[in-house]
Amino acid sequence: MRRELICINPTSPARLAVRSVEKPQPGHGEVLVCVQATSVNPIDVKRAAGYGQRLLRLKGAAHFPLVLGNDVVGVVEALGSGVKRFAPGQRVYGLVGTGRAGGAHASHVVVPQDGLLSAPDDADPSALSVLPYSFTTAWLALRSTGIRADNARDARVLIHGANGGLGRLATQVLQSWGSRITAICAKGHRQTCLDLGAEVAVEYGPNCIATLPADFDVVLNFANWDDDALLASRLGAKALGQATTVHPLLANFDRLGWLGGAWASRQDKRRVRTIVVSRAPKARYGWTIFKPDREALEALAQRVNGGRLALPIGAIKPLTQARAAFDHVSAGLPGRAVLLP
Ligand SMILES: NC(=O)c1ccc[n+]([C@@H]2O[C@H](COP(=O)([O-])OP(=O)(O)OC[C@H]3O[C@@H](n4cnc5c(N)ncnc54)[C@H](OP(=O)(O)O)[C@@H]3O)[C@@H](O)[C@H]2O)c1
């Protein structure tokens, strides 16, 4: 049998329960993983409250009771036909997409082989379980701006939300590429950002963005949509681009329906893009949307194998105490939250 954590209906705080269902069978190109650790990301808490339902319904990912979770660490239990990369008993980690099949908050999960990596023998399952989803999103945001290992040296990068999960991972990548990072962080986190590799760190507060220099090559907004336009005004004339993960796409559709949501999103995006291109005519502007991405996973593997990537963990709970892990995330307490199924 598979034990899975379900969100019973869309409410805040989440209404959670553990139920037993038949173990799923892996199909062609899929792997059945016995899950050792998975994580609760901010998106899980939002989705538990009903966020994103209208658009996510298109992917079959909004039907309650809902099994959430994207990060998987575990042991291969069975292989579908055509799987060559993995063998039963092998330790793996990776991602399930947001879709009809449900999430990773379960004792067993079926994952396409492209969504999995071989785990290092000595890796701690909890430490690994907080990386794939956040790293992939941070990587997609970086990629959409056009910054890469071969053009990042000395590039000036502004990160809003630098002490959060995405901010820390982007900082670790950019630091290894030799970029010059300015971190906007929450109160009390300046030193953490400097230790991770930021050249400058400022605490978020009134006027903190407006008083920054307007010469950044890349801007990453992992914190607050309301600041997106102001952040764009900090781009320099030769900037590569700006990416935001906190765009209002899903919320617009939830709030305004299909036509209203599409119209509002178009207007919101155009408003900031206009500022971006007025600052730097060739700069890109993107709204990042998480999806599993092989290139991102391989970049993650390189860093994990080199011991060069980590996020702090603030709560580790069994599936039966998932409520505490969800509360940890929704209260914004420090460190990621891990579930041990
Ligand atoms: N679009 C996508 O597909 C996608 C995928 C992944 C994540 N996301 C979103 O991206 C954001 C970052 O993810 P994460 O995992 O890094 O979250 P996180 O660990 O909670 O970090 C968020 C960071 O933003 C700061 N912040 C939050 N609200 C703010 C506000 N109103 N004004 C200024 N700073 C604020 C936080 O400061 P404090 O420490 O003070 O809270 C923290 O530094 C989240 O909103 C998440 O839901 C989107």
Side-chain angles (χ1 to χ4, degrees):
M1 295 297 277
R2 148 174 154 134
R3 275 176 306 110
E4 58 182 23
L5 180 73
I6 52 167
C7 289
I8 296 167
N9 54 7
T11 52
S12 180
R15 264 189 80 205
L16 304 170
V18 178
R19 73 176 178 192
S20 292
V21 294
E22 283 296 311
K23 237 187 242 181
Q25 295 301 313
H28 182 76
E30 292 178 334
V31 177
L32 177 65
V33 179
C34 175
V35 182
Q36 293 176 314
T38 177
S39 73
V40 180
N41 285 299
I43 188 67
D44 297 317
V45 173
K46 292 183 195 170
R47 285 181 63 202
Y51 170 79
Q53 272 188 301
R54 198 178 299 267
L55 274 185
L56 292 175
R57 205 171 286 139
L58 293 179
K59 297 173 127 195
H63 183 73
F64 284 78
L66 196 57
V67 181
L68 296 163
N70 295 93
D71 290 312
V72 181
V73 180
V75 176
V76 173
E77 186 164 307
L79 304 176
S81 57
V83 175
K84 300 273 184 286
R85 276 192 218 144
F86 301 101
Q90 189 175 350
R91 294 188 64 211
V92 290
Y93 68 113
L95 277 174
V96 292
T98 303
R100 199 169 300 279
H105 292 169
S107 63
H108 295 81
V109 66
V110 167
V111 189
Q113 64 173 336
D114 275 355
L116 287 175
L117 298 163
S118 177
D121 288 340
D122 56 351
D124 167 34
S126 297
L128 269 189
S129 75
V130 298
L131 295 176
Y133 174 83
S134 295
F135 184 87
T136 297
T137 308
W139 186 265
L140 294 177
L142 286 167
R143 191 168 72 192
S144 75
T145 67
I147 195 164
R148 304 177 304 269
D150 62 359
N151 65 2
R153 179 154 297 281
D154 293 328
R156 292 178 49 81
V157 181
L158 177 61
I159 305 180
H160 189 15
N163 63 291
L166 303 189
R168 286 172 189 250
L169 294 172
T171 301
Q172 290 171 70
V173 171
L174 288 162
Q175 191 270 346
S176 73
W177 289 346
S179 300
R180 299 173 57 195
I181 301 156
T182 296
I184 306 173
C185 60
K187 215 171 171 48
H189 287 276
R190 276 191 68 247
Q191 194 54 49
T192 309
C193 294
L194 295 172
D195 291 345
L196 283 172
E199 186 179 79
V200 176
V202 293
E203 289 183 355
Y204 184 67
N207 284 329
C208 83
I209 298 174
T211 52
L212 289 170
D215 63 355
F216 289 98
D217 299 304
V218 168
V219 168
L220 300 168
N221 183 4
F222 300 145
N224 186 3
W225 166 247
D226 292 342
D227 292 329
D228 221 48
L230 190 55
L231 288 165
S233 75
R234 305 295 90 195
L235 289 165
K238 293 190 176 159
L240 292 169
Q242 173 162 330
T244 177
T245 61
V246 285
H247 50 76
L249 183 73
L250 269 62
N252 281 344
F253 279 90
D254 284 342
R255 202 164 47 88
L256 301 167
W258 290 112
L259 279 178
W263 175 254
S265 298
R266 194 180 136 101
Q267 295 298 100
D268 286 339
K269 199 166 185 179
R270 183 182 281 179
R271 181 170 56 82
V272 182
R273 191 198 300 280
T274 302
I275 302 168
V276 169
V277 295
S278 74
R279 300 288 314 159
K282 293 192 177 155
R284 305 176 187 187
Y285 175 61
W287 285 6
T288 306
I289 297 173
F290 161 79
K291 62 176 172 44
D293 181 275
R294 191 67 203 171
E295 181 196 272
L297 278 184
E298 280 167 11
L300 170 65
Q302 264 182 21
R303 288 164 175 79
V304 165
N305 294 341
R308 285 180 287 133
L309 209 64
L311 284 180
I313 293 173
I316 302 180
K317 301 288 173 191
L319 216 53
T320 47
Q321 290 171 31
R323 152 97 286 126
F326 274 66
D327 288 349
H328 179 93
V329 178
S330 59
L333 295 175
R336 303 312 248 191
V338 174
L339 294 176
L340 304 179

